[in-house]
Amino acid sequence: MKSRTPLIFFLFFCFMAITGIILGEPAEVYQKAVTICLSCIGIG
Amino acid sequence: MERLRHIVQLIFAFVANCRLYITPSNPIYKGPLKHVCFPGLNCYSCPATPWACPLGALQSAFAGLKKNLSMGKLNMGLYVLGSLGVVASLIGRMPCGWFCPFGLLQDLLFKIRLPKIRLWRPLSWGRYIALFILVIALPIFFTDKFGFGETWFCKYLCPAGTLEAGVPLLIMSPELRSAVGTLFLSKFTIMIFFLIWSMVTVRPFCRTLCPLGLILGFFNRVSWLRLNFNRKICVDCHACELICPTDVFFATGRDDINSTKCIRCFRCYALCPGGAVTIEFSSIMKGQVEDIEGCHCNQEQG
């Protein structure tokens, strides 16, 4: 495996995460995470 | 090395569940840390956690994908996948061995003195089914009339969710107990099954069903931190095969040392009497691979 592969992967996923942040995805994660998902944990 | 790993596991288990002031009126943390995914399986409906679960967040993103695209929104879980990829491209599946609270629980249960059973290897294919069907395909394609899918893995399978969120919430909220039905009972049975199985087999959930472990495991061969096996100086003692918790048989050539199954516990590195197993860090600046074999003093230990 070429030694630059980790750097390429790291930069690619950094770019992906930053794109997600620009698109406002952390707010969606937050919205889901602060709600008790009753069906997800098998209640209700 | 093993003692250090257990200390790190305990620290991360606390970091993952460090919300100590919990009241029935305010069972879930709602602060800013919930924007961030913890790099391990830790249910975000758990009253003690201030973090989001990457697997739950990813499924939620996929479950809303069809609806988002129909509304012209490009939200498709890039943030969750990207942040998981950043961690995994650095250390591969090391979070499973060192950070995951559910992994720690399984490790502790395995310490109970009972007859031990090796895992039947084909069962590890269950991880692929869990990831590609329950986490990706069904949430994306099996949607209701409004275009929303379900978080299938969380809803029907995840024992960590039942243990960390379902059970504590039922204890804290008596009104929820009336809502318990067959779904919770089936999930509770799955949880008990895995907890009992963990007493006789090393990490059965991680090795048979955990989609998060599989996602991180895909990076084992390309991550900055990698294991290396030097066949030429292997003394064929097979200690690595006996000690490996996930049955990665690299000494016989059956598996790659950086297989998706490896949780990077580094037991093989610490125990190898010939020093044939080394930890490597890809040198990004120099464009070459350097290892830390110089720090490896197992020959003296052996």
Side-chain angles (χ1 to χ4, degrees):
Chain A
M1 190 63 64
K2 286 180 182 174
S3 62
R4 291 218 175 112
T5 312
L7 177 65
I8 293 165
F9 271 79
F10 180 78
L11 293 176
F12 174 76
F13 284 100
C14 268
F15 176 74
M16 190 185 262
I18 291 166
T19 308
I21 291 168
I22 292 167
L23 290 170
E25 289 185 4
E28 285 190 6
V29 169
Y30 176 83
Q31 207 58 43
K32 190 72 187 172
V34 296
T35 314
I36 301 174
C37 180
L38 293 177
S39 65
C40 293
I41 56 178
I43 304 169
Chain B
M1 181 71 86
E2 194 65 358
R3 185 173 294 173
L4 171 68
R5 189 171 75 89
H6 289 321
I7 292 168
V8 174
Q9 280 181 303
L10 287 170
I11 291 170
F12 271 87
F14 177 73
V15 170
N17 297 286
C18 58
R19 183 172 175 251
L20 302 176
Y21 184 68
I22 303 163
T23 59
S25 59
N26 188 20
I28 295 286
Y29 170 82
K30 294 182 179 175
L33 287 178
K34 277 270 168 115
H35 288 91
V36 183
C37 294
F38 182 80
L41 198 65
N42 202 64
C43 185
Y44 51 39
S45 288
C46 172
T49 190
W51 310 96
C53 170
L55 207 54
L58 194 61
Q59 284 174 90
S60 297
F62 289 153
L65 183 63
K66 198 182 274 187
K67 183 69 180 174
N68 278 336
L69 289 177
S70 70
M71 292 166 66
K73 291 168 73 178
L74 293 172
N75 298 16
M76 52 185 78
L78 294 178
Y79 166 64
V80 183
L81 276 174
S83 44
L84 270 180
V86 165
V87 173
S89 59
L90 291 175
I91 53 176
R93 204 182 163 182
M94 196 174 162
C96 297
W98 293 71
F99 310 152
C100 181
F102 200 65
L104 169 64
L105 176 67
Q106 290 173 86
D107 282 348
L108 293 175
L109 287 171
F110 188 70
K111 288 186 183 295
I112 296 172
R113 292 190 178 183
L114 285 172
K116 306 301 179 189
I117 304 167
R118 274 197 181 272
L119 186 83
W120 187 46
R121 284 172 70 95
L123 288 178
S124 62
W125 287 100
R127 299 175 301 153
Y128 291 86
I129 295 169
L131 175 62
F132 291 109
I133 296 180
L134 294 179
V135 174
I136 299 175
L138 288 175
I140 292 176
F141 300 112
F142 203 82
T143 55
D144 61 18
K145 59 182 178 181
F146 304 107
F148 290 111
E150 286 190 23
T151 53
W152 286 74
F153 182 80
C154 296
K155 184 172 181 178
Y156 295 103
L157 204 58
C158 186
T162 313
L163 182 70
E164 295 166 0
V167 173
L169 287 170
L170 280 178
I171 293 169
M172 284 169 54
S173 312
E175 63 272 17
L176 284 179
R177 289 175 208 157
S178 59
V180 168
T182 50
L183 179 59
F184 180 79
L185 293 176
S186 65
K187 282 197 71 182
F188 190 78
T189 308
I190 290 169
M191 179 194 79
I192 295 294
F193 173 74
F194 273 105
L195 293 182
I196 293 172
W197 195 4
S198 300
M199 295 175 196
V200 294
T201 301
V202 192
R203 293 194 173 221
F205 176 74
C206 306
R207 298 163 67 191
T208 61
L209 278 178
C210 185
L212 184 61
L214 184 59
I215 293 171
L216 296 171
F218 285 141
F219 290 81
N220 270 354
R221 290 182 197 194
V222 293
S223 61
W224 176 64
L225 184 151
R226 282 197 295 268
L227 285 167
N228 184 43
F229 173 58
N230 188 341
R231 187 79 194 85
K232 289 175 186 168
I233 56 173
C234 174
V235 295
D236 283 325
C237 67
H238 298 280
C240 51
E241 293 186 355
L242 293 171
I243 203 71
C244 180
T246 53
D247 291 343
V248 180
F249 298 147
F250 56 87
T252 49
R254 193 171 177 184
D255 295 308
D256 188 289
I257 191 168
N258 291 300
S259 154
T260 60
K261 292 188 289 186
C262 174
I263 58 169
R264 298 271 160 94
C265 65
F266 303 129
R267 280 186 188 178
C268 53
Y269 164 75
L271 283 176
C272 181
V277 178
T278 50
I279 300 172
E280 293 183 344
F281 300 95
S282 291
S283 176
I284 292 165
M285 299 306 291
K286 293 178 186 170
Q288 62 186 31
V289 171
E290 290 178 349
D291 66 49
I292 57 168
E293 197 174 355
C295 304
H296 191 192
C297 49
N298 290 329
Q299 301 225 10
E300 287 90 350
Q301 291 169 8

